[in-house]
Amino acid sequence: MPVLSEEAPVVRGMTYDQMLERVRYEGAYPTRERAEDTVLAVLAALGRQITGEERVDLAARLPVEAAHALASQIPAIEPLTGWGFVKDLAGRIGGTPATARWDTGAVLNVVADLAGPDLLDRVLAQLPPGYGLLFGRAELARAA
């Protein structure tokens, strides 16, 4: 999976079908339906974690169907760490943490490309530790 660099271009104009095909490829899912279920579940979970301008700006960069899955969620009162996000997703989809981590990576790598590096930086700054890796980025330990 590609790692975003500062020069990475923002992917514009991706349709929902193109997004699903890319997630299907990244996640090695056997069907489009499985990819779509994964996209909707991961984006709903992410929609419970981000707020404010970052949420609005990210939704604007997603295809309409994906934006709806993200924006239709009520943000959680207490945000989850990256690992908490994966465990919560596993519980909601009835899978294991390992499969939920795989699903998360398959979707959020595509979302990272759609967001672009500047917006992704803002999103990650808002989230607790552990999300950088979920978006396919190296994450440095924060200074104490």
Side-chain angles (χ1 to χ4, degrees):
M1 289 185 244
V3 176
L4 288 176
S5 69
E6 292 303 312
E7 295 82 34
V10 176
V11 178
R12 299 275 186 207
M14 184 181 284
T15 68
Y16 187 60
D17 286 335
Q18 290 169 329
M19 181 182 193
L20 293 180
E21 281 307 310
R22 179 128 174 251
V23 169
R24 182 178 176 194
Y25 176 79
E26 296 252 349
Y29 299 116
T31 65
R32 180 187 186 278
E33 291 75 23
R34 174 69 171 94
E36 183 171 31
D37 291 346
T38 301
V39 165
L40 296 177
V42 171
L43 288 178
L46 184 62
R48 290 188 287 277
Q49 299 303 308
I50 60 174
T51 60
E53 288 181 39
E54 290 75 20
R55 178 184 173 111
V56 172
D57 291 347
L58 183 57
R61 300 227 179 137
L62 298 174
V64 172
E65 300 87 342
H68 179 68
L70 176 88
S72 66
Q73 301 301 306
I74 297 170
I77 294 172
E78 294 199 28
L80 299 170
T81 63
W83 178 237
F85 178 88
V86 169
K87 290 191 306 187
D88 181 65
L89 182 63
R92 290 176 187 272
I93 63 175
T96 66
T99 58
R101 172 60 183 97
W102 180 267
D103 292 345
T104 300
V107 174
L108 295 185
N109 274 301
V110 175
V111 170
D113 286 347
L114 288 166
D118 293 339
L119 177 54
L120 185 56
D121 285 344
R122 291 177 27 223
V123 168
L124 290 173
Q126 182 186 105
L127 295 168
Y131 282 87
L133 293 173
L134 299 178
F135 281 95
R137 274 199 174 174
E139 189 168 303
L140 301 174
R142 294 179 184 179

